[in-house]
Amino acid sequence: MTFLTRSTFFFLILSSVFNALVISSDGDSSGDGSLTWDQAYDKAKSIVSRMSLEQKVGLATGMGWEKTLCVGNTYASIDPDFPSLCLQDSPLGIRFADNVTAGVSGITAASSFDRSAIRQRGEYMGKEFRAKGVHFQLGPSIDIMRSPQSGRAWEGFGEDPWLAGVAGRETIIGIQSQGVIATVKHYIGNNQETNRTTSSSIIDKRTLHEVWLWPYARAVEAGVGAVMCGYNRFDGIYACENDYILNTVLKNELGFRGPVMSDWGATHSTIKAANAGLDMTMPGDILMGDGLTFFGPNLTKAVHEGKVSEERVTDMSLRIAASHFKMMQDKNYPKTTLNTFNRTDAPVVLVQDDHDRLVREMGSASVVLLRNEDEILPLGNDFKKIAIIGSNAGPIPEGLQGCPDQSCGNGHLAMGWGSGTADFPYLVTPIDGIKARMEDEINVVHTFDDYDLDRAKDLASSADVSIVFAMADSGEEYIVVDGNNDRMNMSLWHNGDKLIEAVSEASDNVILVINSVGPVLMPWIENKSIKAIVWPGLAGQESGNALADILFGDVNPSGRLPYTIAKNAEDYPAHISTHSEVVYSEKLLVGYKYFDAKDIKPLFEFGYGLSYTKFEYDDISVVAERNGANTKVVTSITINNVGSVDGAEIPQAYITFPPSAGEPPKLLRGFEKVYIKAGDTKTVNFEFTDVDLSTWDEESEKWKLAEGQFTVHVGASSRDIRASIPFTI
Ligand SMILES: *[C@@H]1O[C@H](CO)[C@@H](O)[C@H](O)[C@H]1NC(C)=O
Ligand SMILES: *[C@@H]1O[C@H](CO)[C@@H](O)[C@H](O)[C@H]1NC(C)=O
Ligand SMILES: *[C@@H]1O[C@H](CO)[C@@H](O)[C@H](O)[C@H]1NC(C)=O
Ligand SMILES: *[C@@H]1O[C@H](CO)[C@@H](O)[C@H](O)[C@H]1NC(C)=O
Ligand SMILES: *[C@@H]1O[C@H](CO)[C@@H](O)[C@H](O)[C@H]1NC(C)=O
Ligand SMILES: *[C@@H]1O[C@H](CO)[C@@H](O)[C@H](O)[C@H]1NC(C)=O
């Protein structure tokens, strides 16, 4: 068969299995000269067919923790030759390397609601990983924020699957456009750090498909090269040896053709894991650093004993080799020049180029303006003296690399902690950024002491405006900072609430800047002295500059919350569980869907964010067409910038399903970032297809187009709906 017929054949099979839910089964959207999976498999077969069992096992086995240049390396094959592949953290940049960019975190990229910026972020990361000779970037994390206190939620894209799907897709396409394999993680139900290696996530199949699997389905469509299974159990069985989630769902139902690798140390068996669909054990060891392995000789032995078929091992190596060939890593791939465990041994390879500019742009594009009374922002010339208050405005006292994996939890917060980090080459703190942008005649006073409330008050009362900086941090399980990996509470760290209250007594021009991994409680929210609240997330190395761009009005804010900020911690649908079974009893009501369904008013809703200008929406229209198996619904809306400054608006489209579908009140199904000059008007179209309008049918275990009357709502947030219009399918 020629490539074309095979591809078509494959598509037909998949289409019938998936009930029209797969957009492009062959994952060719990455373009940029990468091969299709079929082409990649042809190349992989021609080499793997010449490998011995031991050579094939080698491709699937990590060489061991701290034994190689990268956090993980596979064994190379000699005659036929296939290289050792290098796998390296993290979702936001290269971990354990020098002269690399440490940019905005996933959660902050998501709050830009800006597809092209997210794509560019993927591209520059891909360039850096490639230039250092890394074959697999261990990212993006596309896990959804289940509980706002979840320690690693900041690595991903927030509480909504549709948003995570789009952000994941753009990141993957960006990374893979550079020939680097993107690895989506942590498949699946790995949504808290507490008991992460022992607990079991219990998720019904409909919820699994409509919420937790959704971003993975979009990643497979985008041609993602690798998937990492998580530490947790799913339905009692470890994710990395779970036949249902690996074989049935990921490989058969979604049609994923690349390798599944274990999270580091997440493999628990040889035969069970291999037969359930695990393709690569990382970093190889049974327990990190023990030099033993469930694959390697154990896997070879299992094949000899007939417990694992050789075809299964061939499939593992084909998947790995195909992923490598798909990205064309056999052509001029740079050799690995980082040295994870002996940094001083690594040659200096500069890869940062002008990526600082992108990080700064993305940082300002991601700032969410939560409040702006009396148009106190942008800061004008009437402020001659500014007080900057709080340790979050200043440097990290321990130094940039003073604590392992960014776990200081002190000073300015521009990244959470754990394996999802990179070393800052430098960090522009808020005070640096603000000073760099200020006119000479402005006087700045500051304190980084969060506990000396009298000093804070003195400074505040002496200044025209006070900017108070506070933060809340979290990170990965293996490091505990002040009792946290998952956050123990939802309050600000370091006396933040008391500091804010003190300053609000001393000044009636208070601006808050809160850098946080996720939502925080705001007990001071009613205080009228607090004129503005600025929410920049985790902005990376250019944090202070990106913030100054917003404070001084060089950039008009357009960021939006990728999660709900509630009034009370109890208002959320899900919390960190200490039980061995983590039951996802909120089912489809994740994030804002729960607040909508239960009619709970949040403080700041999903999708919320202000601008320095004003937008009005009008003329909504909708056209629904059903053509055989294809459904297409197009909604248009006109948006006017009626204010006096240019700026970008983020109209969002939410869909209410027919009541018989049993869906939450509304679901995000579209957003667009549109730049509109003051006084101008633009028309925005949203297109919805079968994927957007279907539900997972538990009886047939298939996606099924909902039928009846839908409503599409377009607005500036999930609760600021400006126009709604029904359509029928
Ligand atoms: C490269 O990184 C090293 C180690 O952080 C640093 O000392 C050096 O200044 C960097 N070189 C450049 C050109 O940035
Ligand atoms: C094979 O796996 C077993 C656990 O099932 C382990 O005890 C043994 O050390 C492994 N062998 C090698 C060579 O790693
Ligand atoms: C790291 O590299 C240096 C310089 O080559 C070498 O002297 C040292 O032994 C290495 N350390 C380790 C732990 O491999
Ligand atoms: C919340 O946790 C942070 C970090 O551990 C701590 O600084 C703060 O005091 C705690 N707040 C409350 C109200 O418990
Ligand atoms: C809140 O605002 C009022 C008026 O702006 C002020 O007098 C008061 O002290 C502030 N602080 C607190 C903690 O209520
Ligand atoms: C789960 O975590 C809690 C809190 O850290 C701990 O008390 C409990 O023993 C853990 N349970 C299991 C099954 O590991």
Side-chain angles (χ1 to χ4, degrees), residues 270 286 292-294 297-298:
T270 301
I286 290 182
L292 306 174
T293 186
F294 284 117
N298 267 328

Coordinates of all heavy atoms in Angstrom, one line a residue, residues 270 286 292-294 297-298, ligand 2:
T270 N 6.8 -5.2 35.7 CA 7.3 -5.5 34.3 C 6.1 -6.0 33.4 O 5.8 -5.2 32.5 CB 8.4 -6.6 34.4 OG1 9.4 -6.2 35.3 CG2 8.9 -6.9 33.0
I286 N 14.0 1.2 39.4 CA 12.8 0.8 40.1 C 12.5 1.9 41.2 O 11.5 2.6 41.2 CB 12.9 -0.5 40.8 CG1 12.9 -1.6 39.7 CG2 11.8 -0.8 41.8 CD1 13.0 -3.0 40.1
L292 N 18.3 -0.6 39.5 CA 17.5 -1.8 39.1 C 16.5 -1.3 38.1 O 16.2 -0.1 38.0 CB 16.8 -2.4 40.3 CG 17.8 -2.8 41.4 CD1 17.0 -3.3 42.6 CD2 18.8 -3.9 40.9
T293 N 15.8 -2.2 37.4 CA 14.8 -1.7 36.5 C 13.7 -2.8 36.3 O 14.1 -4.0 36.3 CB 15.4 -1.3 35.2 OG1 14.3 -0.7 34.4 CG2 16.1 -2.4 34.4
F294 N 12.5 -2.4 36.0 CA 11.4 -3.3 35.7 C 11.5 -3.7 34.2 O 11.0 -4.7 33.8 CB 10.1 -2.7 35.9 CG 9.7 -2.6 37.4 CD1 9.5 -1.4 38.0 CD2 9.5 -3.8 38.1 CE1 9.1 -1.4 39.4 CE2 9.1 -3.8 39.4 CZ 9.0 -2.6 40.1
P297 N 16.7 -6.2 31.5 CA 16.8 -7.6 31.5 C 15.5 -8.3 32.0 O 15.1 -9.4 31.6 CB 17.9 -7.9 32.5 CG 18.7 -6.7 32.7 CD 17.8 -5.6 32.3
N298 N 14.7 -7.6 32.9 CA 13.4 -8.1 33.4 C 12.4 -8.2 32.2 O 11.7 -9.2 32.2 CB 12.9 -7.2 34.5 CG 13.2 -7.6 35.9 OD1 13.4 -8.8 36.1 ND2 13.4 -6.7 36.8
Ligands
LIG2 C1 13.7 -7.2 38.1 O1 12.5 -6.8 38.9 C2 12.5 -7.2 40.2 C3 11.2 -6.7 40.8 O2 10.1 -7.3 40.1 C4 13.7 -6.7 41.0 O3 13.7 -7.1 42.3 C5 15.0 -7.0 40.3 O4 16.1 -6.4 40.9 C6 14.9 -6.6 38.8 N1 16.1 -6.9 38.1 C7 16.9 -6.1 37.6 C8 18.1 -6.6 36.8 O5 16.8 -4.9 37.7

